[in-house]
């Protein structure tokens, strides 16, 4: 029974297949890798754009994210008639109804992320005094501001006292030209009730019942603390949008007082707004809280468009001009939402573009290797298939057997690949299974289409060589032409923002790699022919035989050359893009911070400076002081500038972009640098003007945001001239720019600053770089580049090995035959070196050249700025040590492949080879 | 002593193998190789024929055409009434399955390695769609017939060259073909094994009545077959017929007669030794005599 079942055509042919399964296993392996990539990449990208988007939204604060704006002055009044029933608030109704209408008109994508509009109206902070004055009058010279929020009661809980009563102003009769008329008189009214938070009450020493005297628009009023409250949810969006309410605002004005002053901002009853608006200027602020979770990658673009649309149309609010006449006030809208979303979209799209570039080359190689492997499998089966065909097996029978083998090789491998991808990157998307499944069927299809055997008759190779030759020329011409055309098109097109996957950009590197592989394969024989001519004259057989074999029986063909070119070039490209992005990110961070580390404080003490200079890792410290604002100009046409004073030689050492030779006077004038904002119609570089009454000459300009201090209109002079700039008082540094030693951590310097100047605001480039790199798309890009660098180097190695193995038969028999003629082991090694090394070295060399050129193409055609945290176009930089390592790796692989090949060849039995010669 | 005798080649209706003016040209850009140049050949049912020729004479091309693996450029060819020029792919498969069987020179190429002798036979039967049950029976029957039953479970690697060729004959005969084609079946064998293989072929020819055509460059094959056809430059040039005569005294005598082949338009090739002996070149004189045709040197007078 078992014997009979073994005699079916499929089991019989299958048994001929089993002993030669090694190449089939290679096909299975390739299928697995392809399925893994096909299943993994979409999953990874799918989760990636969501992750990057939410990262981008989380990286800005909630108030920055909210869609809001200011209404100055606040438009008090009820909603239009028809909406009164819905929004009856007599003070806020008008704005409330306008905002609700605006929200209703924005596209759904944005509307679903917008919460109910929040509105507050507040006064400016006004100096106030406790009335009656306390025993120590100097103790209280702070300010007070009033804020009204229709929903304030829901945000707070009373700690003591009572919620504020709506303020009413009694009318007083005042004389006008038309007789006596009643008019409100705030001065005679009762105090305005307000509640403050416990934070404010504690800091400012306020108690329930305290009465503050102040004035709004010169109208004196009294404000009474009716109660003290605490926030129900201090982390809520509301408190972030209303700074100074939860904790009192701080003001430092060295001219007015040596101490900090505080502003108590308290809630008044919403109804207070109506009488208040009669004489005080009220600032309205509104915002729609944005729920970041509702902004998904799927409609991120729509959200951006909707925000831009809203910003273009603004929010119309009905305004009473006079009497019954009404007009419309359009209120501008601000939000960081669109920028954050766009930044993420830009990153993801650039990532896609780069991924496509990174993948296309290796994909071409994988396809080539795949085809080679399938052909190798069928080559091995060829004799059996041909015999079966000659004995009467139909093509259908043969194809079925080949297809079964292809199914066995492909389907389990693809399933494993897809499962691994699904386990590593879980996602519910059923579509992610389709492509891997199709890939699993590819080997079966390829096997079935090639699996009919060659026909039993031996081909007459002598007759077909020339026909193949002309076809090769045509194909090669197409490849070269295609590469040239796509490159030209790309360069002409230039960078496209948010292009995402770009077929042209993806195809070009592959075509370029193919083109240079073609050139290598065309030029190498010429070099080998020269070597052959030299070898012919030489004494030893190795050079002659080696060159002849390399030329006439090449072990490594187009696929291997392509694989090495692509492998090396993608590796070098990845390394180049990584280095370029890394350098640009670092440069951007340093530009943004001003140096490796910067610190700002009201005044740095000499002790603090000493501590910073002595901190480990600190290379140089530049100190910048500032004086009072001065007028820069001549003949009464002046601009206000903030003069900075620094030792420009030291500053130059930290900031090479700033000239370091401002100490010497120019023609008796003090040389100054100014920010670009200062220059304009009446001020130019080279002008001889006055800074207040000091004669100066403008010797240069720098970008306004040079991070020398917190102003964009400034002038910089050397500290040699400090005495003339600030005759009254010596200047103390307010800003430190610190350069670190290469590779040093900013932490010790920051610790030193914090220890000696606790109030200093410290920023460092390293954490900015870390924040930029933390974006999921940026992290994914770095990972992808790293994988591509290593993976394609491995691919090149694999191709060299596979090529060497597939040529083993011919090589082994040649070497075995030559050994019967007395070839020594080292000569055999020499022969194999000739076989493998010239092609690998030539391909690696052009791959290296291509890899060095490709980043320029990529930078010229893809906007990589989103990965650097800035907007400037990248400069291509190269990490030479890493590159040397890569090239050395590829050459080492070639060396190992050579050694393995020669070891295998030397184990071949010469007797067997010579005897088998007939076949 | 052999006399050269011309045989006319009239078309044989129902011949097992029938070739007329067979031409096969291999060509590629500017290069043409004419492997067969108007070959005529007829082999009758049940005949055992050898086609002998030097390397490059076109005999392997002829066999490729007869086995249905190659298609002639021009001419007519039929095997067991199957027109080889008119067959479509499906017909060719059926033809290979049921009409012809073949044995090649390289012993290793005839059999699938990794499969035993019996399985090799079964593979051929399976390809033809013979029911499973019948396959083992048929294999056993063939091995019995060829007297190689003890080899049935051995793989090709475990067989000698002669044994491999005999198994190959069994494989070729598996589907009861009308014609058995053999391309240099003894090319890799020593004399004793060659004789054994050729005798096996003669045996199956006699016992099964299958038509056998052996292509070889080995003149020794001729002594095992009744009819030997010589090919030169893609054409049949001469034929040798052997017969056994019994003299009046009862002695058996093997007689071999060599004939020149005359084609339909009257062309024939002179044996090279005749041409050499009389130093014939360029032009010769022909004269028709009552019983024969005379060929004389052109510059004799």
């Amino acid at each position: 029974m078992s014997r009979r079942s073994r005699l079916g055509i499929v089991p019989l042919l299958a048994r001929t297949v089993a002993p030669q399964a090694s190449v089939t296993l290679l096909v299975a392996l390739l299928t697995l890798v392809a399925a893994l990539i096909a299943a993994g990449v979409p999953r990874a990208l799918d989760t990636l754009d969501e992750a990057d988007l939410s990262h981008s939204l989380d990286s800005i604060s909630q108030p920055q994210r909210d869609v809001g704006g200011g209404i100055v002055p606040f438009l008090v009044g009820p909603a239009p008639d028809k909406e009164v029933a819905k929004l009856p608030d007599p003070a806020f109704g008008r704005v409330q109804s306008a905002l609700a209408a605006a929200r209703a008109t924005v596209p759904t994508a944005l509307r679903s992320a917008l919460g109910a509009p929040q509105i507050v109206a507040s006064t400016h902070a006004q100096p106030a005094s406790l009335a009656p004055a306390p025993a120590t009058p100097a103790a209280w010279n702070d300010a007070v501001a009033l804020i009204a929020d229709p929903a304030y009661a829901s945000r707070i809980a009373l700690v003591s006292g009572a919620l504020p009563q709506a303020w009413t102003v009694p009318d007083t009769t005042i004389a006008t030209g038309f007789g006596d008329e009643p008019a409100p008189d705030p001065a005679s009214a009762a105090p305005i009730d307000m509640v403050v938070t416990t934070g404010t009450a504690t800091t400012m020493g306020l108690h329930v019942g305290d009465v503050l005297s102040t004035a709004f628009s010169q109208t004196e009023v009294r404000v009474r603390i009716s109660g003290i409250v605490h926030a129900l949810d201090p982390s809520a969006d509301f408190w972030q949008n209303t700074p100074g309410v939860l904790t009192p605002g701080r003001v430092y004005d060295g001219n007015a007082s040596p101490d900090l002053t505080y502003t108590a901002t308290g809630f008044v009853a919403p109804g207070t707004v109506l009488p208040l608006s009669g004489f005080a200027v009220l600032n309205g602020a509104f915002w729609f809280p944005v729920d970041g979770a509702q902004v998904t990658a799927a409609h991120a673009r729509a959200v951006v468009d909707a925000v831009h649309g809203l910003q273009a149309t603004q929010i119309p609010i009905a305004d009473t001009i006079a009497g019954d006449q009404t007009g419309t006030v359009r209120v501008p809208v601000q939000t960081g939402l669109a920028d954050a979303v766009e930044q993420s979209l830009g990153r993801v799209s650039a990532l896609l573009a780069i991924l496509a570039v990174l993948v296309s080359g290796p994909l071409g190689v994988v396809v080539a290797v795949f085809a080679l492997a399938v052909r190798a499998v069928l080559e091995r089966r060829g004799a059996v298939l041909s015999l079966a065909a000659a004995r009467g097996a139909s093509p259908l029978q043969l194809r079925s057997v080949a297809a079964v083998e292809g199914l066995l090789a492909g389907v389990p491998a693809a399933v494993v690949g897809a499962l691994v991808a699904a386990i590593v990157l879980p996602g519910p998307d059923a579509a992610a299974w389709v492509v891997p499944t199709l890939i699993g069927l590819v080997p079966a299809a390829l096997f079935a289409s090639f699996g009919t055997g060659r026909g039993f008759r031996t081909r007459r190779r002598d007759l077909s060589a020339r026909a193949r030759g002309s076809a090769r020329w045509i194909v090669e011409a197409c490849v070269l032409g295609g590469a040239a055309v796509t490159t030209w098109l790309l360069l002409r097109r230039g960078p496209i923002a948010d292009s995402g996957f770009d077929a042209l950009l993806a195809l070009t590197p592959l075509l370029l790699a193919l083109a240079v592989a073609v050139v290598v394969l065309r030029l190498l024989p010429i070099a080998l022919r020269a070597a052959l001519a030299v070898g012919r004259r030489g004494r030893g057989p190795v050079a002659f035989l080696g060159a002849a074999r390399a030329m006439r029986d090449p072990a490594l063909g187009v696929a291997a050359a392509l694989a090495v070119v692509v492998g090396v070039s993608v590796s070098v490209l990845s390394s180049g893009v990584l280095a370029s992005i890394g350098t640009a990110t670092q440069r951007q961070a340093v530009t943004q911070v001003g140096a490796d580390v910067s610190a700002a404080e009201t005044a740095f003490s000499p002790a603090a400076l000493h501590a910073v200079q002595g901190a480990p890792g600190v290379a140089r410290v530049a100190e910048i002081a500032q004086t009072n604002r001065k007028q820069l100009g001549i003949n009464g046409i002046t601009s206000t500038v903030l003069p900075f004073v620094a030792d420009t030689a030291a500053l130059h050492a930290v900031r090479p972009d700033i000239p370091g030779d401002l100490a010497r006077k120019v023609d008796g004038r003090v040389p100054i640098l100014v920010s670009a904002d200062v220059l304009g119609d009446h001020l130019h570089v080279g002008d001889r003007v006055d800074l207040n009454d000091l004669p100066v000459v403008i010797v240069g300009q720098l970008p306004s945001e040079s991070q020398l201090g917190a102003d964009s209109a400034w002038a910089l002079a050397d500290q040699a001239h400090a005495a003339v700039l600030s005759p009254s008082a010596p200047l103390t540094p307010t800003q430190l720019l610190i350069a670190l030693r290469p590779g040093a951590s900013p932490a010790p310097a920051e610790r030193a600053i914090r220890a000696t100047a606790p109030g200093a605001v410290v920023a460092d480039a390293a954490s900015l770089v870390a924040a930029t790199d933390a974006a999921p798309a940026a992290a994914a890009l770095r990972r992808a580049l790293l994988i591509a660098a290593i993976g394609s180097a491995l691919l090149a190695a694999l191709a060299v090995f596979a090529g060497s193995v597939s040529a083993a038969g011919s090589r082994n028999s040649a070497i075995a035959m030559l050994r019967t003629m007395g070839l020594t082991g080292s000569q055999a090694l020499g022969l194999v070196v000739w076989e493998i090394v010239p092609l690998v070295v030539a391909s690696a060399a052009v791959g290296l050249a291509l890899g060095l050129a490709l980043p320029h193409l990529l930078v010229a055609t893809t906007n990589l700025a989103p990965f650097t945290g800035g907007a400037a176009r990248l400069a291509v930089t190269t990490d030479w040590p890493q590159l040397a390592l890569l090239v050395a790796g590829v050459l080492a692989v070639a060396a190992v492949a050579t050694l393995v090949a020669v070891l295998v060849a030397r184990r071949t039995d010469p007797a067997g080879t010579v005897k088998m010669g007939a076949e | 002593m052999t006399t050269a005798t011309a045989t006319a080649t009239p078309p044989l209706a129902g011949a097992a193998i029938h070739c007329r003016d067979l031409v096969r040209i291999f060509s590629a850009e500017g290069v043409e190789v004419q492997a067969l140049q108007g070959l005529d050949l007829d082999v009758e049912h049940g005949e055992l024929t050898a086609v002998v020729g030097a390397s490059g004479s076109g005999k392997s091309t002829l066999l490729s055409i007869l086995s249905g693996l190659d298609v002639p450029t021009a001419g007519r060819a039929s095997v067991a009434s199957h027109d080889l020029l008119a067959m479509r792919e499906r017909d060719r498969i059926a033809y290979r399955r049921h009409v012809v069987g073949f044995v090649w020179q390289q012993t290793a190429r005839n059999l699938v390695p990794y499969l035993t002798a019996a399985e090799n036979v079964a593979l051929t039967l399976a390809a033809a769609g013979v029911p499973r049950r019948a396959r083992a029976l048929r294999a056993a029957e063939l091995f019995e017939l060829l007297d190689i039953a003890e080899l049935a479970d051995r793989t090709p690697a475990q067989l000698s060259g002669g044994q491999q060729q005999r198994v190959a004959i069994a494989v070729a005969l598996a589907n009861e073909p009308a014609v058995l084609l053999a391309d240099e079946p003894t090319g890799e064998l020593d004399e004793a094994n060659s004789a054994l293989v050729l005798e096996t072929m003669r045996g199956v020819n006699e016992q099964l009545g299958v038509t056998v055509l052996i292509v070889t460059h080995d003149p020794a094959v001729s002594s095992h077959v009744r009819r030997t056809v010589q090919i030169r430059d893609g054409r049949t040039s001469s034929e040798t017929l052997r017969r056994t005569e019994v003299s009046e005294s009862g002695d058996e005598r093997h007689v071999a007669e060599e004939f020149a082949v005359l084609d339909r338009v009257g062309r024939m090739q002179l044996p090279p030794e005749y041409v050499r002996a009389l130093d014939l070149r360029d032009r010769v004189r022909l004269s028709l005599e009552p019983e024969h045709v005379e060929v004389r040197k052109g510059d004799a007078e």
Side-chain angles (χ1 to χ4, degrees):
Chain A
M1 185 67 198
S2 72
R3 169 145 196 104
R4 228 184 282 144
S5 67
R6 283 169 56 209
L7 296 183
I9 188 160
V10 172
L12 280 174
L13 281 174
R15 284 187 49 213
T16 72
V17 160
Q20 301 179 323
S22 57
V23 190
T24 312
L25 276 180
L26 176 65
V27 172
L29 193 68
L30 282 171
T31 312
L32 192 148
V33 171
L36 190 62
I37 292 170
V41 169
R43 284 171 186 275
L45 286 179
D46 198 37
T47 53
L48 182 91
D49 51 6
E50 293 294 352
D52 194 79
L53 185 60
S54 63
H55 171 89
S56 200
L57 292 175
D58 289 346
S59 67
I60 55 174
S61 66
Q62 179 70 46
Q64 277 178 298
R65 201 189 310 162
D66 290 342
V67 175
I71 309 167
V72 183
F74 185 64
L75 298 170
V76 181
D81 294 345
K82 55 180 188 253
E83 292 177 37
V84 168
K86 218 162 57 183
L87 296 161
D89 193 314
F92 290 90
R94 181 194 298 183
V95 174
Q96 273 173 335
S97 70
L99 294 179
R103 185 177 180 276
T105 56
V106 299
T108 325
L110 179 59
R111 189 165 61 237
S112 61
L114 295 183
Q118 308 292 314
I119 308 162
V120 294
S122 59
T123 66
H124 287 289
Q126 297 297 333
S129 55
L130 271 177
T136 51
W140 222 96
N141 58 350
D142 293 329
V144 68
L146 308 180
I147 188 166
D149 167 21
Y152 84 109
S154 64
R155 306 186 203 280
I156 53 169
L158 206 55
V159 176
S160 59
L163 286 180
Q165 295 296 312
W167 188 48
T168 50
V169 181
D171 285 352
T172 310
T173 310
I174 44 175
T176 68
F178 304 100
D180 290 351
E181 277 187 10
D185 177 20
S188 63
I192 301 171
D193 274 1
M194 82 169 188
V195 287
V196 295
T197 58
T198 45
T200 303
T202 314
T203 309
M204 299 179 67
L206 294 172
H207 308 280
V208 173
D210 283 354
V211 176
L212 304 169
S213 291
T214 186
F216 295 112
S217 307
Q218 278 116 40
T219 305
E220 293 198 354
V221 291
R222 287 172 301 148
V223 178
R224 190 175 70 95
I225 311 292
S226 74
I228 292 174
V229 297
H230 73 85
L232 288 174
D233 177 10
S235 64
D237 183 26
F238 176 86
W239 304 107
Q240 295 182 50
N241 270 295
T242 54
V245 177
L246 202 55
T247 53
R250 305 188 318 164
V251 180
Y252 176 76
D253 183 352
N255 293 329
S257 155
D259 297 323
L260 280 172
T261 55
Y262 291 98
T263 301
T265 306
F267 288 109
V268 296
T272 303
V273 165
L274 269 178
L276 201 57
S277 69
F279 59 95
V281 175
L282 289 175
N283 297 323
F286 69 91
W287 68 94
F288 297 94
V290 169
D291 180 1
Q294 295 300 318
V295 182
T296 59
H299 52 257
R301 176 55 59 195
V303 168
V304 171
D305 292 344
V307 169
H308 289 159
L310 188 61
Q311 284 175 331
T313 56
Q314 305 187 330
I315 293 178
I317 303 176
D319 183 26
T320 311
I321 294 172
D324 294 337
Q325 267 195 306
T326 56
T328 304
V329 173
R330 290 195 173 266
V331 180
V333 178
Q334 281 124 28
T335 175
L337 176 67
D339 280 352
V341 173
E342 276 186 314
Q343 206 161 22
S344 170
L345 286 175
R347 268 199 299 265
V348 170
S349 138
L351 174 69
L352 274 179
I354 298 174
L355 276 185
V357 169
L358 292 181
V359 165
S360 82
L363 200 67
V365 176
V366 167
V367 168
V369 173
F370 213 83
L372 277 186
V374 169
R375 226 180 62 190
V377 169
L378 294 171
E379 201 88 346
R380 291 189 170 201
R381 310 270 177 276
V384 172
L385 291 176
S386 304
L387 184 59
R391 296 268 186 235
S394 68
L396 185 67
Q397 286 171 320
L398 296 175
R399 282 180 207 276
S400 315
V401 173
V404 168
E405 183 177 3
L407 285 176
L408 289 177
V411 173
V415 168
V416 169
L419 276 179
V420 169
I423 291 166
V424 175
L425 301 158
D429 198 354
W433 291 91
V434 175
V435 179
T437 312
L438 289 179
I439 287 176
L441 297 177
V442 168
L446 284 177
F447 274 50
S449 59
F450 295 141
T452 53
R454 289 162 297 175
F456 204 63
R457 247 170 19 80
T458 335
R459 289 266 153 73
R460 295 201 67 138
R461 288 194 189 173
D462 54 335
L463 295 178
S464 54
R466 282 174 63 189
R468 273 210 320 272
S470 66
R472 184 181 158 188
W473 275 113
I474 293 169
V475 170
E476 289 178 353
C478 289
V479 166
L480 290 175
V485 167
T486 52
T487 309
W488 180 72
L489 281 177
L490 263 187
L491 289 176
R492 209 183 60 142
R493 192 196 70 183
I496 294 181
D498 294 356
S499 59
F501 172 78
D502 178 351
L504 186 64
L505 183 58
L507 191 66
T508 306
L510 177 61
L511 278 174
L512 282 173
L514 265 174
V516 297
V518 160
V519 171
V520 166
L521 288 172
R522 280 290 177 188
L523 292 185
L524 195 60
I526 297 174
L528 287 172
R529 207 165 294 144
L532 185 64
V534 174
R536 195 174 279 146
R537 284 198 296 276
R539 209 187 283 165
V542 172
F544 171 63
L545 267 176
R549 269 176 57 75
M551 208 170 78
R552 294 173 190 163
D553 185 16
L556 306 176
V558 189
L562 177 67
V564 173
V565 169
V566 167
V568 171
S569 63
V570 171
S571 235
V572 173
L573 162 71
S574 308
S575 154
V577 174
L578 259 180
S580 301
I581 290 180
T583 311
T585 309
Q586 176 69 29
R587 198 170 293 159
Q588 173 65 30
V590 169
T591 307
Q592 219 162 313
V593 172
D596 291 335
V597 181
S598 80
E601 172 61 307
T602 320
F604 281 104
S605 64
L609 291 173
H610 186 73
V612 173
Q613 268 157 348
V618 172
R620 285 200 171 81
V621 182
E623 304 150 18
I624 300 162
Q626 62 188 54
T627 72
N628 294 331
R629 287 194 167 74
K630 292 182 168 34
Q631 295 302 313
L632 181 68
I634 198 162
N635 297 336
I637 305 169
T638 60
S639 300
T640 307
V641 296
L642 183 62
F644 295 134
V645 177
D647 175 353
T648 49
L651 187 58
H652 176 71
V654 175
R655 287 282 299 272
D657 57 320
I658 299 176
D661 50 1
L662 299 186
R664 226 168 334 118
K665 285 191 175 181
V666 178
D667 299 338
R669 286 172 172 266
V670 172
I672 59 166
L673 294 169
V674 296
S675 65
D677 279 10
V678 174
L679 297 176
D681 293 338
H682 62 279
L683 284 174
H684 308 91
V685 173
D687 283 359
R688 287 152 189 271
V689 289
D690 293 337
L691 187 61
N692 279 11
D693 46 9
L694 178 71
V696 297
V697 53
I698 300 174
V699 294
Q701 64 157 323
L702 284 170
S704 302
E705 51 284 342
S706 290
Q707 313 301 333
L708 300 180
D711 207 321
S712 67
W714 48 261
L716 174 69
D718 195 89
Q719 70 177 17
H721 315 293
V724 287
L725 279 162
S726 177
S728 56
L731 293 171
T732 49
T734 54
Q735 174 102 12
L736 299 184
L737 296 181
I738 301 161
L740 298 174
R741 294 206 175 84
S745 157
E750 289 179 8
R751 269 199 302 274
I753 296 167
R754 294 223 166 83
T756 50
V761 178
V762 184
D764 68 87
S767 48
L768 212 60
V769 168
T772 305
D773 287 352
L781 177 72
R782 277 200 314 283
R783 239 184 350 255
L785 288 169
L786 210 62
I787 292 172
I790 296 169
S792 27
L794 282 179
L795 186 69
L798 193 72
V800 172
F801 265 106
S804 165
V805 167
S806 70
S810 134
R811 169 175 52 241
N812 292 352
S813 59
I815 287 180
M817 194 188 74
L818 290 168
R819 277 175 67 200
T820 65
M821 299 178 185
L823 190 81
T824 66
S826 62
Q827 284 174 326
L829 178 64
L831 275 186
V832 181
V833 166
W834 268 101
E835 194 177 305
I836 294 175
V837 172
L839 186 82
V840 172
V841 168
S843 305
V846 296
L848 180 67
L850 182 64
L852 288 174
L854 280 178
H856 292 275
L857 184 72
L858 199 61
V859 163
T861 53
T862 310
N863 181 18
L864 299 178
F867 294 109
T868 65
R873 197 165 136 176
L874 264 72
V876 174
T877 44
T878 308
D879 186 347
W880 292 107
Q882 195 180 45
L883 220 58
L885 207 67
L886 274 173
V887 172
V890 169
L891 295 184
V893 164
V896 171
T898 309
L899 273 178
V900 169
V902 80
L903 286 178
V904 170
R906 279 165 66 178
R907 283 180 51 199
T908 312
D909 173 22
T913 306
V914 175
K915 198 177 156 197
M916 278 160 55
E919 172 65 341
Chain B
M1 167 95 193
T2 330
T3 53
T5 316
T7 57
T9 51
L12 290 178
I17 299 171
H18 170 63
C19 302
R20 273 293 166 278
D21 299 331
L22 210 53
V23 175
R24 177 68 175 103
I25 299 168
F26 296 102
S27 61
E29 279 179 34
V31 185
E32 258 188 17
V33 175
Q34 211 166 347
L36 296 180
Q37 313 185 18
L39 179 136
D40 293 333
L41 178 68
D42 287 291
V43 178
E44 287 196 70
H45 284 291
E47 218 177 345
L48 175 64
T49 308
V51 173
V52 184
S55 180
S57 60
K59 54 189 193 305
S60 288
T61 306
L62 172 65
L63 211 64
S64 290
I65 290 172
L66 293 181
S67 55
L69 299 171
D70 193 8
V71 186
T73 311
R76 276 188 288 151
S78 68
V79 173
S81 307
H82 291 77
D83 186 347
L84 293 177
L85 279 90
M87 282 196 294
R88 287 170 304 161
E89 191 51 38
R90 188 189 297 178
D91 305 326
R92 261 173 215 289
I93 292 167
Y95 174 77
R96 284 181 216 144
R97 283 179 183 174
H98 301 294
V99 181
V100 289
F102 31 84
V103 178
W104 279 279
Q105 173 181 13
Q106 284 109 21
T107 50
R109 270 178 79 186
N110 284 311
L111 304 172
V112 177
Y114 320 112
L115 294 186
T116 65
E119 285 167 346
N120 264 289
V121 174
L123 178 64
T124 306
L125 292 165
V130 172
R132 281 176 191 226
R133 198 172 302 166
R135 293 176 199 165
L137 286 175
R138 174 69 178 155
E141 184 185 307
L142 278 169
F143 289 153
E144 199 67 44
L145 178 74
L146 302 186
D147 201 18
I148 48 172
E150 70 280 7
L151 309 180
D153 290 327
R154 295 203 205 162
T155 59
Q158 298 165 325
L159 299 171
S160 74
Q163 288 171 331
Q164 285 184 23
Q165 285 307 65
R166 284 191 286 157
V167 171
I169 294 171
V171 173
L173 292 172
N175 286 322
E176 302 177 49
V179 176
L180 175 65
L181 303 169
D183 185 4
E184 305 271 11
T186 60
E188 293 188 342
L189 303 179
D190 60 23
E191 212 171 305
N193 270 313
S194 292
L196 200 56
V197 168
L198 290 171
E199 280 315 304
T200 305
M201 291 208 178
R202 200 159 80 169
V204 298
N205 169 248
E206 283 167 1
Q207 291 173 43
L208 303 176
V210 59
T211 309
V212 180
L213 184 72
I214 304 171
V215 161
T216 181
H217 70 279
D218 178 9
V221 172
S222 311
S223 58
H224 294 270
V225 299
R226 275 190 290 277
R227 181 181 172 210
T228 306
V229 177
Q230 202 91 31
I231 294 193
R232 249 168 63 196
D233 297 331
R235 302 242 282 271
T236 42
S237 63
S238 64
E239 273 192 44
T240 305
L241 297 182
R242 282 164 200 283
R243 61 180 193 275
T244 311
E245 287 182 351
V246 183
S247 68
E248 289 168 4
S249 61
D251 296 339
E252 277 203 354
R253 201 159 65 98
H254 295 284
V255 180
E257 265 188 301
E258 189 176 355
F259 300 87
V261 176
L262 191 67
D263 73 8
R264 273 189 308 146
V265 290
R267 287 175 299 199
M268 59 167 282
Q269 294 182 17
L270 290 175
E273 57 269 28
Y274 287 17
V275 174
R276 265 198 311 278
L278 295 179
D279 195 19
L280 300 177
R281 67 166 75 110
D282 300 335
R283 290 184 294 268
V284 294
R285 288 176 189 282
L286 288 181
S287 51
L288 181 62
E289 300 299 320
E291 290 287 310
H292 63 279
V293 175
E294 267 185 13
V295 180
R296 282 174 293 143
K297 282 177 89 164
D299 53 356
E301 285 157 33

